[in-house]
Amino acid sequence: MSTKRKSSKSTGDGGGAGKEVTTQLQNDDGGESSSDDESSDDDSLVLGGEIIRNPDVSDSDDDYSSEEDEADKNTQQSKKKQKTNNGKSKGTKPKKKASNQPETIQVDFVFCDANERFFHGLKTLVHRNSVHSPHSSQLADLVIENNMVGTVLSTDQDDNVFGFASVINLTTNSSSPCIEALKKICLDKCPQQHKVEMETVLSGKTKRPAGFFFQERMVNVTLELTGILHQQLVLDMDHAVKNARDEDEKKSLDFGAFVRLAPCYSGDGGGANSEIYKYFDDEIFATNAEFVYTFDAPKMFEEDEEELKCSVIVMTKTGHRAAMKELKKMVGGN
């Protein structure tokens, strides 16, 4: 995969090729490439790739090709009936064969800062989490306002959002209704054995601030893109602390704890630690957390049969960085 570094803020580690049913990343140079000399006003990381269109899925072109084949077949049968004087049939038009080769569309995946043009895409992804859905608009606005610590996965062709990751300070945004609502949910659902710890994390009185860790993405985002999305968030946090305007801003961005509300489902047996996470990386974060507890999440639709749950994952900065190492090893294989 080829990577292009557009600013000192963003860089990526893109080893190996990722492949999904409809998406395949193209390895152009067999490794990572970046250049400090390449810079522009757009703080974004661009990954060259390609989208493979599934040949088994019919579209208008396939329908047209099928109709043309049928017309050729009828013409051929009609001409077979017309005999020449020497008993030979006239030549027929060669039958057009429908191509089964996949159609390749070149795409540049862009990792960039959140801004207003991504509002609807961010809101749509946030709304898919039933715990966050009542506050999806407010949370999308917070992610956009908090663009120093947050990354959006999009393309250079449109405003679609394929995924995002962000950390929102619980203290500096305590006046926000959606942050207050999420803090209340965490405390109300917290079991007694973790109550004191949870109250301390959410109090805003810790040496380093705590932040709500938000991340959502489309289901067909590749393993490699997911890894880079998290790496970009870490780089954003480090960059924000290093380039803070004053000491107060530096302290507000130097997170010491992270609270993640991860969507999950009940596993086999329904016992403790049997959750099946919607996103595989949340399981890695959970294994490196200080403590984890789960509660029943509201249903998105009444007809939903599968019981949705929410896992509250509380990590220190040390635990988060340890999880990042595991994630990088899983993605890169080393």
Side-chain angles (χ1 to χ4, degrees), residues 301-320:
F301 305 100
E302 288 297 328
E303 59 270 20
D304 289 347
E305 296 182 358
E306 197 164 13
E307 186 178 357
L308 182 64
K309 292 184 175 293
C310 179
S311 182
V312 180
I313 303 171
V314 181
M315 297 176 285
T316 61
K317 182 176 182 178
T318 302
H320 180 259

Side-chain angles (χ1 to χ4, degrees), residues 1 17-28 47-53 102-109 222 225:
M1 173 184 293
K19 186 175 182 182
E20 295 254 338
V21 175
T22 59
T23 305
Q24 176 179 326
L25 299 179
Q26 186 178 35
N27 192 326
D28 297 328
L47 303 184
E50 59 184 18
I51 293 179
I52 306 299
R53 179 167 293 174
E103 181 180 353
T104 302
I105 303 173
Q106 296 296 326
V107 174
D108 283 336
F109 296 100
T222 64
L225 289 176

Side-chain angles (χ1 to χ4, degrees), residues 33-47:
S33 65
S34 62
S35 173
D36 292 334
D37 296 333
E38 295 182 12
S39 62
S40 70
D41 294 335
D42 180 17
D43 291 338
S44 57
L45 171 70
V46 181
L47 303 184

Side-chain angles (χ1 to χ4, degrees), residues 140-327:
D141 283 333
L142 278 179
V143 171
I144 293 170
E145 294 170 7
N146 190 57
N147 60 5
M148 287 190 69
V149 185
T151 297
V152 173
L153 172 61
S154 183
T155 70
D156 61 354
Q157 300 171 348
D158 48 45
D159 298 337
N160 290 332
V161 177
F162 296 95
F164 77 93
S166 180
V167 180
I168 306 294
N169 189 302
L170 299 178
T171 306
T172 58
N173 295 284
S174 59
S175 60
S176 173
C178 61
I179 295 298
E180 282 301 304
L182 293 178
K183 289 168 66 176
K184 185 176 186 304
I185 290 174
C186 290
L187 287 174
D188 290 347
K189 303 295 184 179
C190 184
Q192 196 61 41
Q193 66 264 33
H194 299 306
K195 201 81 169 182
V196 175
E197 294 172 280
M198 194 78 245
E199 288 175 345
T200 302
V201 170
L202 300 179
S203 67
K205 299 178 181 179
T206 53
K207 184 177 180 180
R208 287 181 174 178
F212 272 124
F213 174 24
F214 298 101
Q215 64 124 346
E216 297 287 343
R217 61 182 181 270
M218 292 186 178
V219 293
N220 62 341
V221 170
T222 64
L223 183 70
E224 188 173 11
L225 289 176
T226 299
I228 297 175
L229 182 65
H230 285 296
Q231 291 168 22
Q232 287 298 301
L233 180 62
V234 171
L235 291 174
D236 274 357
M237 288 189 285
D238 291 344
H239 180 273
V241 171
K242 184 178 179 180
N243 295 275
R245 291 170 295 185
D246 52 46
E247 194 63 25
D248 288 340
E249 183 177 68
K250 182 177 181 179
K251 290 181 179 179
S252 70
L253 296 170
D254 189 14
F255 294 101
F258 304 89
V259 181
R260 166 79 179 139
L261 277 65
C264 60
Y265 305 91
S266 295
D268 295 337
N273 302 321
S274 64
E275 293 80 12
I276 300 174
Y277 288 95
K278 178 181 179 181
Y279 302 119
F280 75 92
D281 35 327
D282 281 330
E283 184 172 354
I284 298 176
F285 293 131
T287 58
N288 288 275
E290 293 298 302
F291 61 92
V292 179
Y293 60 92
T294 304
F295 62 89
D296 293 335
K299 288 186 176 181
M300 290 293 293
F301 305 100
E302 288 297 328
E303 59 270 20
D304 289 347
E305 296 182 358
E306 197 164 13
E307 186 178 357
L308 182 64
K309 292 184 175 293
C310 179
S311 182
V312 180
I313 303 171
V314 181
M315 297 176 285
T316 61
K317 182 176 182 178
T318 302
H320 180 259
R321 295 302 168 100
M324 285 301 304
K325 289 181 180 179
E326 289 186 27
L327 181 60

Side-chain angles (χ1 to χ4, degrees), residues 126-137 139 298-300:
V126 170
H127 191 78
R128 293 166 56 186
N129 187 322
S130 63
V131 176
H132 299 326
S133 59
H135 321 286
S136 56
S137 292
L139 288 173
K299 288 186 176 181
M300 290 293 293

